[in-house]
Amino acid sequence: TGTFRMQLNTSSTTECAITGIAENNLSDNISLYPNPSTGEFFLSSILSTCNSMDLKIYNAMGQIVMTKKINVSSGEVKIDLNASPDGLYLFEIKTCQGIISKKVIMRR
């Protein structure tokens, strides 16, 4: 009198494939500090396969406040947001290995 669904534990479609998340490794290789900051941030990378990174910085309203191409071989790069108001910022960093996002807080 009723229709029964096949139990999940007996279904052949319950096998799961494990997939890696490259962003975790990429995030470990790119540092952005200090967080929170008073206006100046430093971006450094230990990526050996990428020559450059593209940086976009968004404010809390989603507006782009800065774009910058960064030469990875230059080591630590200073990012100056002193002209921007305090608040939450999203750093989107695009490398040859992928894109990562890091949230930072600026307060003075």
Side-chain angles (χ1 to χ4, degrees):
T1 58
T3 305
F4 293 99
R5 233 171 97 174
M6 181 185 293
Q7 295 292 323
L8 289 176
N9 61 355
T10 60
S11 171
S12 63
T13 60
T14 58
E15 288 186 34
C16 296
I18 297 174
T19 58
I21 301 175
E23 183 173 321
N24 287 341
N25 293 332
L26 186 57
S27 184
D28 291 343
N29 293 321
I30 297 175
S31 299
L32 182 61
Y33 54 91
N35 190 11
S37 172
T38 58
E40 293 180 350
F41 296 90
F42 294 92
L43 181 68
S44 66
S45 168
I46 56 171
L47 296 174
S48 59
T49 58
C50 299
N51 295 326
S52 65
M53 296 185 283
D54 293 319
L55 173 66
K56 287 184 183 175
I57 302 173
Y58 299 87
N59 63 17
M61 295 173 49
Q63 300 165 320
I64 294 177
V65 295
M66 180 185 288
T67 60
K68 186 171 188 161
K69 187 152 193 91
I70 298 170
N71 183 349
V72 174
S73 63
S74 63
E76 187 177 79
V77 176
K78 182 171 135 181
I79 310 296
D80 187 354
L81 289 181
N82 279 309
S84 299
D86 289 1
L88 179 68
Y89 290 85
L90 178 71
F91 281 58
E92 181 184 86
I93 305 159
K94 182 178 179 184
T95 73
C96 67
Q97 294 182 2
I99 299 173
I100 64 164
S101 298
K102 294 186 178 268
K103 293 178 186 174
V104 297
I105 297 171
M106 185 168 65
R107 75 171 168 231
R108 289 168 241 195

